[in-house]
Amino acid sequence: MLRCLLLCALSVAPTFAAAQAFDWRKRYDIPVIPIDATSFEVIENDGAGGTQLWCAAGLYARDQLGQLRGSLYVREGRRPSARAPGRRGVVFTLDAVPDAFSSVSEGVRRAGQVFSISHARALCRSTGRLRIEVR
């Protein structure tokens, strides 16, 4: 019995080590199109959902707009993109929008939803590997 357990453990060890070296998280390359000094459109890509789109918006606000604090608003909810034909996107802005509301949902369908920039960036921890592509 002990010999059988030892043999099983030895045969599983290399497989476990190989699995640990492989990154199971999905990779997302999310296009971002600047609109003006405070607004930009995040384009859906690679099967990304609301969490990834908020993450991309937070990264863009920090890396491209230099904003570490403040709020991100959904100016135009998820819809066919006017800037990337045939694709769907969400327009985010740093400017307050009418009827803004907070929510625990990471959805991007309704205009007015607001997250802090730091909250949007914190969502990146659970998204997998995400890279924004500024166009």
Side-chain angles (χ1 to χ4, degrees), residues 8-47:
C8 286
L10 290 175
S11 65
V12 171
T15 305
F16 182 73
Q20 292 296 324
F22 185 76
D23 189 355
W24 292 95
R25 295 181 301 168
K26 174 106 171 91
R27 177 177 176 141
Y28 298 95
D29 291 319
I30 308 290
V32 178
I33 303 171
I35 297 172
D36 57 37
T38 58
S39 301
F40 51 94
E41 184 173 21
V42 178
I43 306 298
E44 288 184 353
N45 199 31
D46 291 337

Side-chain angles (χ1 to χ4, degrees), residues 42-96:
V42 178
I43 306 298
E44 288 184 353
N45 199 31
D46 291 337
T51 302
Q52 291 81 17
L53 299 178
W54 277 107
C55 168
L59 292 176
Y60 182 84
R62 180 194 66 191
D63 298 344
Q64 302 298 316
L65 301 180
Q67 299 295 311
L68 299 176
R69 296 187 196 119
S71 297
L72 274 171
Y73 299 85
V74 174
R75 187 172 92 185
E76 297 173 24
R78 182 179 177 263
R79 64 185 179 19
S81 172
R83 292 157 197 85
R87 308 286 293 277
R88 298 183 70 75
V90 178
V91 175
F92 291 92
T93 187
L94 299 175
D95 301 325

